[in-house]
Amino acid sequence: MPSRTRQGVASASREIVGCLVKLAGSMETVSEQRVTMDEITALAKRRGFIFQSSEIYGGINGFWDYGPLGAVLKRNVKNAWWRDTVELRDDVVAFDSSIIMHPLTWKASGHIDAFHDRMVDCKVCKHRFRFDHLKDASKCPDCGSKDALTPPRNFNLMMKTFIGPMDDTASIAYLRPETAQGIFVNFKNVFQAARKKPPFGIAQIGKSFRNEITPGNFTFRTREFEQAELEYFVPDDGKDIELFQAWVARRKAWYASYGINAERLRFYELTPQERPHYAKAGIDVEYLFPWGWGELESIAHRGTYDLDAHMELSGKDLRFFDEVSKAHYTPLLIECSAGMDRTTLTFLIDAYEREKSVDPNGKETERTVLRFHPFIAPVQVAVFSLARNKPELVERARSIETGLRTSFRTQYDEGNIGQLYRRQDEIGTPFCVTVDYDTLTDGTVTVRQRDSMQQERIAASALDTYLRAASEPSTGR
Ligand code: ATP
């Protein structure tokens, strides 16, 4: 569990206050807003990125469904993380643990104890407070509203479920509130099976569930979400801070290489007061959303806290045996924990632009464009036939599209080219290829680039090479 959450709910009000301070600091930038959440949610629904879950029944708060384009977008974001964190390294191995784990896992992790406080909510500002921390129960400590606090309620962040089909004998279990614990309890299995020794990492991407009291801001705060977590175990040999910094730099480079605007991203260093007592360092990666700064990822140096907690409760030895010193030791932990739904939302918001331009007839037009990196874009190449009713054009365009399909995510369409460009701009397709009458005689097609709107004529046979080069192959597919 990432740093600030692991301190338990006790820190909730301080986090809220901290968040407001940060928000105030960013008000100036927020007021020069490029895009509103209404624009993003409308586009997401219209083009099939994200839908409200169970919409036909009125929806269910805190849950979302990814449509045809959104499902691909999110998969691309996860693949980009996985590629950089696992595939491009020889010191990180893959993992995939179950969502439901032995309930004692959550005792050791602190979730069961930390998330059983009595809480009140302010009905006006929606902030949440520990009941026993309130000086005056008739007034909201944040917005000052009178009599706006709900009665205290037992608060349990974890979602309960039951194992066993018979109500009276079923045992209580929890849907995991984070993926990390699956890695910790398997630490020994993994390092033995993979023959790894610290420094090495274990990574997984998977669903987590939290009973958030106030889900909101679209997919930013939900009750079911996906996390990508890297747990990197290092020896206690004085190089741990250096390794922590190397991971911070790597994550920074990751956001930059996929085009997230550096001015809208910050790496907020937690003060010792903001960190749990056992943590040696902590960074919150934050993005400037239309409503202010919000956390995308937490990078933490967590010492031996997590493995110690499981060793103590399970009575099992999870330490590593060092062949050189012939001694057992508990490695230190560096954790990078990123929310994949928040990161997907970030890519969507960051890519969004409304742009004024002048069409070939000198008329002013406006277009909505998503400037996705080619690796992230759900569709990479759209192939059009200039006319719908000319079988020879349709056939040629379809065959070009099929040929490109093995290397790129493609889409075929036909009809009014201006409208087709507009539609592809709005879903962030970097390249459009048009097949016209000249294609039938000289074998060339028009390639139009999304960002510059430049068009050029190239041989259809050279498309694959051309598109690969133009897609910045350094980040791969
Ligand atoms: P927050 O303070 O926003 O509740 P957190 O500090 O509790 O977040 P962590 O426990 O650090 O979050 O989880 C790691 C990452 O998981 C977060 O940075 C975020 O991207 C993602 N995440 C956490 N809670 C949610 C949620 N309710 N909905 C979507 N993503 C989430």
Side-chain angles (χ1 to χ4, degrees), residues 359-374:
D359 75 8
N361 305 321
K363 210 174 113 203
E364 261 208 3
T365 59
E366 202 177 55
R367 67 169 183 156
T368 299
V369 54
L370 292 180
R371 297 190 191 279
F372 288 132
H373 184 284

PDB file of all heavy atoms in Angstrom, residues 359-374:
ATOM      1  N   ASP A 359      -9.236  26.119 -43.614  1.00  0.00           N
ATOM      2  CA  ASP A 359      -9.302  25.012 -44.572  1.00  0.00           C
ATOM      3  C   ASP A 359      -8.789  25.470 -45.942  1.00  0.00           C
ATOM      4  O   ASP A 359      -8.513  26.657 -46.144  1.00  0.00           O
ATOM      5  CB  ASP A 359     -10.726  24.410 -44.602  1.00  0.00           C
ATOM      6  CG  ASP A 359     -11.725  25.296 -45.337  1.00  0.00           C
ATOM      7  OD1 ASP A 359     -11.302  26.290 -45.958  1.00  0.00           O
ATOM      8  OD2 ASP A 359     -12.918  24.994 -45.277  1.00  0.00           O
ATOM      9  N   PRO A 360      -8.634  24.544 -46.901  1.00  0.00           N
ATOM     10  CA  PRO A 360      -8.055  24.917 -48.208  1.00  0.00           C
ATOM     11  C   PRO A 360      -8.830  26.035 -48.921  1.00  0.00           C
ATOM     12  O   PRO A 360      -8.288  26.741 -49.765  1.00  0.00           O
ATOM     13  CB  PRO A 360      -8.123  23.616 -49.014  1.00  0.00           C
ATOM     14  CG  PRO A 360      -8.193  22.534 -47.982  1.00  0.00           C
ATOM     15  CD  PRO A 360      -8.879  23.105 -46.793  1.00  0.00           C
ATOM     16  N   ASN A 361     -10.119  26.242 -48.538  1.00  0.00           N
ATOM     17  CA  ASN A 361     -10.894  27.324 -49.163  1.00  0.00           C
ATOM     18  C   ASN A 361     -10.800  28.637 -48.397  1.00  0.00           C
ATOM     19  O   ASN A 361     -11.548  29.572 -48.663  1.00  0.00           O
ATOM     20  CB  ASN A 361     -12.377  26.914 -49.264  1.00  0.00           C
ATOM     21  CG  ASN A 361     -12.520  25.604 -49.992  1.00  0.00           C
ATOM     22  OD1 ASN A 361     -11.806  25.370 -50.957  1.00  0.00           O
ATOM     23  ND2 ASN A 361     -13.389  24.739 -49.498  1.00  0.00           N
ATOM     24  N   GLY A 362      -9.913  28.676 -47.409  1.00  0.00           N
ATOM     25  CA  GLY A 362      -9.711  29.913 -46.654  1.00  0.00           C
ATOM     26  C   GLY A 362     -10.728  30.111 -45.534  1.00  0.00           C
ATOM     27  O   GLY A 362     -10.746  31.148 -44.873  1.00  0.00           O
ATOM     28  N   LYS A 363     -11.569  29.099 -45.292  1.00  0.00           N
ATOM     29  CA  LYS A 363     -12.586  29.218 -44.251  1.00  0.00           C
ATOM     30  C   LYS A 363     -12.018  28.808 -42.898  1.00  0.00           C
ATOM     31  O   LYS A 363     -11.294  27.805 -42.800  1.00  0.00           O
ATOM     32  CB  LYS A 363     -13.765  28.296 -44.614  1.00  0.00           C
ATOM     33  CG  LYS A 363     -15.088  28.823 -44.091  1.00  0.00           C
ATOM     34  CD  LYS A 363     -16.239  27.974 -44.599  1.00  0.00           C
ATOM     35  CE  LYS A 363     -16.847  27.262 -43.403  1.00  0.00           C
ATOM     36  NZ  LYS A 363     -17.568  26.059 -43.685  1.00  0.00           N
ATOM     37  N   GLU A 364     -12.366  29.598 -41.869  1.00  0.00           N
ATOM     38  CA  GLU A 364     -11.891  29.254 -40.513  1.00  0.00           C
ATOM     39  C   GLU A 364     -12.616  28.022 -39.992  1.00  0.00           C
ATOM     40  O   GLU A 364     -13.838  27.947 -40.073  1.00  0.00           O
ATOM     41  CB  GLU A 364     -12.152  30.412 -39.559  1.00  0.00           C
ATOM     42  CG  GLU A 364     -10.930  31.243 -39.356  1.00  0.00           C
ATOM     43  CD  GLU A 364     -10.865  31.948 -38.018  1.00  0.00           C
ATOM     44  OE1 GLU A 364     -11.756  31.762 -37.182  1.00  0.00           O
ATOM     45  OE2 GLU A 364      -9.901  32.697 -37.841  1.00  0.00           O
ATOM     46  N   THR A 365     -11.871  27.068 -39.492  1.00  0.00           N
ATOM     47  CA  THR A 365     -12.521  25.888 -38.911  1.00  0.00           C
ATOM     48  C   THR A 365     -11.896  25.614 -37.546  1.00  0.00           C
ATOM     49  O   THR A 365     -10.866  26.192 -37.187  1.00  0.00           O
ATOM     50  CB  THR A 365     -12.318  24.622 -39.769  1.00  0.00           C
ATOM     51  OG1 THR A 365     -10.927  24.404 -39.874  1.00  0.00           O
ATOM     52  CG2 THR A 365     -12.944  24.744 -41.133  1.00  0.00           C
ATOM     53  N   GLU A 366     -12.523  24.730 -36.828  1.00  0.00           N
ATOM     54  CA  GLU A 366     -11.977  24.327 -35.541  1.00  0.00           C
ATOM     55  C   GLU A 366     -11.997  22.813 -35.502  1.00  0.00           C
ATOM     56  O   GLU A 366     -12.928  22.200 -36.035  1.00  0.00           O
ATOM     57  CB  GLU A 366     -12.846  24.890 -34.413  1.00  0.00           C
ATOM     58  CG  GLU A 366     -12.075  24.975 -33.118  1.00  0.00           C
ATOM     59  CD  GLU A 366     -12.890  25.607 -31.997  1.00  0.00           C
ATOM     60  OE1 GLU A 366     -13.985  25.115 -31.713  1.00  0.00           O
ATOM     61  OE2 GLU A 366     -12.398  26.564 -31.403  1.00  0.00           O
ATOM     62  N   ARG A 367     -10.983  22.223 -34.928  1.00  0.00           N
ATOM     63  CA  ARG A 367     -11.021  20.766 -34.814  1.00  0.00           C
ATOM     64  C   ARG A 367     -10.647  20.359 -33.394  1.00  0.00           C
ATOM     65  O   ARG A 367      -9.918  21.074 -32.693  1.00  0.00           O
ATOM     66  CB  ARG A 367     -10.090  20.100 -35.816  1.00  0.00           C
ATOM     67  CG  ARG A 367      -8.621  20.359 -35.554  1.00  0.00           C
ATOM     68  CD  ARG A 367      -7.737  19.458 -36.415  1.00  0.00           C
ATOM     69  NE  ARG A 367      -6.321  19.672 -36.093  1.00  0.00           N
ATOM     70  CZ  ARG A 367      -5.350  18.807 -36.288  1.00  0.00           C
ATOM     71  NH1 ARG A 367      -5.604  17.639 -36.845  1.00  0.00           N
ATOM     72  NH2 ARG A 367      -4.096  19.074 -35.972  1.00  0.00           N
ATOM     73  N   THR A 368     -11.181  19.220 -32.987  1.00  0.00           N
ATOM     74  CA  THR A 368     -10.765  18.616 -31.723  1.00  0.00           C
ATOM     75  C   THR A 368      -9.783  17.527 -32.090  1.00  0.00           C
ATOM     76  O   THR A 368     -10.055  16.706 -32.964  1.00  0.00           O
ATOM     77  CB  THR A 368     -11.973  17.977 -31.003  1.00  0.00           C
ATOM     78  OG1 THR A 368     -12.908  19.009 -30.737  1.00  0.00           O
ATOM     79  CG2 THR A 368     -11.551  17.331 -29.694  1.00  0.00           C
ATOM     80  N   VAL A 369      -8.638  17.567 -31.420  1.00  0.00           N
ATOM     81  CA  VAL A 369      -7.635  16.559 -31.752  1.00  0.00           C
ATOM     82  C   VAL A 369      -7.049  15.969 -30.463  1.00  0.00           C
ATOM     83  O   VAL A 369      -6.845  16.676 -29.485  1.00  0.00           O
ATOM     84  CB  VAL A 369      -6.548  17.173 -32.678  1.00  0.00           C
ATOM     85  CG1 VAL A 369      -5.933  18.411 -32.091  1.00  0.00           C
ATOM     86  CG2 VAL A 369      -5.473  16.175 -33.043  1.00  0.00           C
ATOM     87  N   LEU A 370      -6.860  14.672 -30.490  1.00  0.00           N
ATOM     88  CA  LEU A 370      -6.161  14.016 -29.375  1.00  0.00           C
ATOM     89  C   LEU A 370      -4.755  13.703 -29.875  1.00  0.00           C
ATOM     90  O   LEU A 370      -4.589  12.890 -30.787  1.00  0.00           O
ATOM     91  CB  LEU A 370      -6.882  12.723 -28.966  1.00  0.00           C
ATOM     92  CG  LEU A 370      -8.250  12.859 -28.329  1.00  0.00           C
ATOM     93  CD1 LEU A 370      -8.822  11.483 -27.979  1.00  0.00           C
ATOM     94  CD2 LEU A 370      -8.208  13.715 -27.072  1.00  0.00           C
ATOM     95  N   ARG A 371      -3.776  14.360 -29.266  1.00  0.00           N
ATOM     96  CA  ARG A 371      -2.402  14.187 -29.764  1.00  0.00           C
ATOM     97  C   ARG A 371      -1.701  13.036 -29.035  1.00  0.00           C
ATOM     98  O   ARG A 371      -0.684  13.219 -28.369  1.00  0.00           O
ATOM     99  CB  ARG A 371      -1.611  15.476 -29.578  1.00  0.00           C
ATOM    100  CG  ARG A 371      -2.175  16.633 -30.385  1.00  0.00           C
ATOM    101  CD  ARG A 371      -1.217  17.809 -30.367  1.00  0.00           C
ATOM    102  NE  ARG A 371      -1.838  19.012 -30.900  1.00  0.00           N
ATOM    103  CZ  ARG A 371      -1.964  19.275 -32.202  1.00  0.00           C
ATOM    104  NH1 ARG A 371      -1.513  18.430 -33.092  1.00  0.00           N
ATOM    105  NH2 ARG A 371      -2.538  20.394 -32.592  1.00  0.00           N
ATOM    106  N   PHE A 372      -2.260  11.839 -29.157  1.00  0.00           N
ATOM    107  CA  PHE A 372      -1.647  10.669 -28.518  1.00  0.00           C
ATOM    108  C   PHE A 372      -0.309  10.326 -29.153  1.00  0.00           C
ATOM    109  O   PHE A 372      -0.157  10.428 -30.387  1.00  0.00           O
ATOM    110  CB  PHE A 372      -2.527   9.429 -28.710  1.00  0.00           C
ATOM    111  CG  PHE A 372      -3.791   9.407 -27.901  1.00  0.00           C
ATOM    112  CD1 PHE A 372      -5.007   9.089 -28.507  1.00  0.00           C
ATOM    113  CD2 PHE A 372      -3.780   9.657 -26.537  1.00  0.00           C
ATOM    114  CE1 PHE A 372      -6.172   9.025 -27.769  1.00  0.00           C
ATOM    115  CE2 PHE A 372      -4.952   9.597 -25.798  1.00  0.00           C
ATOM    116  CZ  PHE A 372      -6.150   9.280 -26.413  1.00  0.00           C
ATOM    117  N   HIS A 373       0.606   9.861 -28.346  1.00  0.00           N
ATOM    118  CA  HIS A 373       1.822   9.237 -28.865  1.00  0.00           C
ATOM    119  C   HIS A 373       1.377   8.019 -29.701  1.00  0.00           C
ATOM    120  O   HIS A 373       0.423   7.333 -29.320  1.00  0.00           O
ATOM    121  CB  HIS A 373       2.674   8.793 -27.674  1.00  0.00           C
ATOM    122  CG  HIS A 373       3.990   8.219 -28.063  1.00  0.00           C
ATOM    123  ND1 HIS A 373       4.118   6.948 -28.579  1.00  0.00           N
ATOM    124  CD2 HIS A 373       5.237   8.733 -28.013  1.00  0.00           C
ATOM    125  CE1 HIS A 373       5.389   6.710 -28.832  1.00  0.00           C
ATOM    126  NE2 HIS A 373       6.088   7.775 -28.501  1.00  0.00           N
ATOM    127  N   PRO A 374       2.060   7.740 -30.822  1.00  0.00           N
ATOM    128  CA  PRO A 374       1.627   6.621 -31.676  1.00  0.00           C
ATOM    129  C   PRO A 374       1.529   5.278 -30.945  1.00  0.00           C
ATOM    130  O   PRO A 374       0.721   4.436 -31.312  1.00  0.00           O
ATOM    131  CB  PRO A 374       2.703   6.566 -32.761  1.00  0.00           C
ATOM    132  CG  PRO A 374       3.270   7.938 -32.806  1.00  0.00           C
ATOM    133  CD  PRO A 374       3.175   8.496 -31.419  1.00  0.00           C
TER     134      PRO A 374
END
